[in-house]
Amino acid sequence: MDTDLTAAYDRCRELHRRHGRTYYLATRLLPAWKRRHVHALYGFTRYADEIVDRTEDLPPTERAARLDDWAGRFLAGLHGQPVHDPLLPAVLHTIAVFDLDRDDFASFLKSMAMDLTVTSYRTYDALLDYMEGSAAVIGTMMLPILGSADPAAARESARHLGFAFQLTNFIRDVAEDLDRGRTYLPDEDLAAFGVTRADLLAARRRGRTSEPIRDLVRYEVTRAQAHYVAAAPGITLLDPASQSCMRTAYALYGGILDEVAAQGYDVFVRRATVPRRRRMAVAARALLTPTGTPVVVPGPPPAGDLPPVHGVDSRAAYRAALG
């Protein structure tokens, strides 16, 4: 690789190491030749997110212009034009090596643009439409790099894993998203549990939650776990060299939900993180797990757990997410 391309991959790896500790640890379990391509995809998605979320002092029109400019350079590069950018050469090289679907990248950029204007989602279906571009396509981008003997069968599981990871982030980061003027918990869910945005903001100011918000978060955890259940079969369909990586990512992201539960579903008291000792133990266990071993999945909510509230049933979240 030429110097500029090597530097671009290094830049993506540094973004991944600095901002995606959980996923970065899992990626270290991949063969070295695959890692740089995963770093490139992470760098692409993270940089777009930085334009949207780390330039809050700028007016929305300026932020949109910056995203459009960067997306334009990316699209120009896809058409073979020279690109002067610190990380896009690595992304374009990865796309070419694996012949990744260009439509996935267009969908992702569309969802990033939505974050500049959309501050809430009325229904879960509306949120899923957003996550199709911001999360599901990440799973399908990754699949050719991870490899699979049956990519068609693994594709739907990869999409669900993208949904599961992003819902985990939404649950963990309710407070941070409120600070940016957004809520990703659907409005219809808030209403079902008698929660308003004002209630969320008040809990944010207090640094602790209320019982209705606790029940709401517990319900959303159940919904995310349903996607983990749907994603699990796809991990054993991956190339053997990729399975320990994704077992680790699966367990560690799911572990964030365990931490949310351990703190009583209070996402305002502190940001839920998986302790470093547990992260290392999960990675070691994944390395020692024989290829093809079924993934341990979160079970359905126990009978009587989170009874219906204004027609909302936690067990129905499993059925809805699993189709």
Side-chain angles (χ1 to χ4, degrees):
M1 294 192 298
D2 62 41
T3 302
D4 287 346
L5 188 54
T6 300
Y9 273 112
D10 287 344
R11 170 64 173 155
C12 291
R13 180 181 58 80
E14 179 58 22
L15 280 173
H16 197 174
R17 185 192 66 79
R18 186 183 306 166
H19 297 289
R21 292 184 305 166
T22 296
Y23 195 25
Y24 184 79
L25 172 62
T27 302
R28 293 181 67 180
L29 303 183
L30 286 172
W33 72 270
K34 290 190 178 192
R35 287 180 215 152
R36 65 180 185 181
H37 299 296
V38 177
H39 297 326
L41 292 187
Y42 183 92
F44 176 80
T45 58
R46 180 70 198 191
Y47 193 78
D49 190 61
E50 292 279 303
I51 293 173
V52 171
D53 285 340
R54 306 296 176 184
T55 56
E56 290 139 324
D57 55 323
L58 299 175
T61 53
E62 175 66 18
R63 293 156 71 196
R66 290 192 178 197
L67 183 63
D68 286 345
D69 176 69
W70 191 70
R73 279 183 277 145
F74 168 68
L75 294 173
L78 284 179
H79 289 92
Q81 297 179 29
V83 174
H84 301 288
D85 186 89
L87 60 82
L88 283 179
V91 181
L92 295 166
H93 182 256
T94 291
I95 292 171
V97 168
F98 292 94
D99 192 25
L100 301 183
D101 189 343
R102 276 66 169 170
D103 288 343
D104 283 349
F105 291 86
S107 294
F108 173 78
L109 291 170
K110 179 181 176 182
S111 286
M112 289 300 96
M114 289 174 66
D115 275 337
L116 294 171
T117 58
V118 180
T119 59
S120 65
Y121 293 86
R122 189 177 65 82
T123 67
Y124 187 58
D125 284 343
L127 182 63
L128 280 174
D129 286 343
Y130 165 80
M131 292 197 300
E132 186 64 39
S134 63
V137 299
I138 307 301
T140 55
M141 288 176 192
M142 281 286 298
L143 190 54
I145 298 171
L146 297 173
S148 174
D150 191 350
R155 181 181 174 84
E156 192 61 19
S157 291
R159 293 179 66 255
H160 274 288
L161 196 57
F163 288 141
F165 286 176
Q166 185 155 65
L167 283 172
T168 298
N169 288 339
F170 289 162
I171 292 165
R172 178 194 62 194
D173 297 337
V174 170
E176 291 180 23
D177 290 329
L178 282 169
D179 291 344
R180 297 185 178 112
R182 299 191 208 117
T183 53
Y184 290 103
L185 307 185
D187 294 342
E188 64 179 4
D189 293 356
L190 269 67
F193 287 91
V195 175
T196 66
R197 178 178 274 210
D199 295 331
L200 295 175
L201 289 168
R204 172 58 166 156
R205 288 192 297 271
R206 291 193 307 268
R208 65 182 187 278
T209 197
S210 64
E211 198 59 34
I213 296 175
R214 253 184 240 278
D215 287 343
L216 167 67
V217 171
R218 185 163 18 142
Y219 173 72
E220 301 300 346
V221 166
T222 299
R223 175 173 266 157
Q225 288 173 333
H227 288 290
Y228 281 101
V229 171
I235 293 179
T236 56
L237 297 176
L238 298 175
D239 285 351
S242 298
Q243 289 187 24
S244 60
C245 165
M246 295 314 297
R247 283 181 192 279
T248 299
Y250 183 101
L252 291 182
Y253 270 93
I256 293 171
L257 298 183
D258 294 339
E259 295 298 320
V260 169
Q263 60 195 49
Y265 300 97
D266 187 345
V267 292
F268 296 102
V269 67
R270 67 178 180 87
R271 191 174 191 262
T273 58
V274 178
R276 177 175 173 80
R277 180 177 295 181
R278 182 180 175 189
R279 293 202 304 268
M280 301 307 294
V282 165
R285 188 161 55 247
L287 275 173
L288 296 173
T289 300
T291 299
T293 302
V295 174
V296 176
V297 301
D305 181 54
L306 193 58
V309 178
H310 299 295
V312 175
D313 180 354
S314 64
R315 301 182 75 85
Y318 260 70
R319 293 193 295 271
L322 296 174

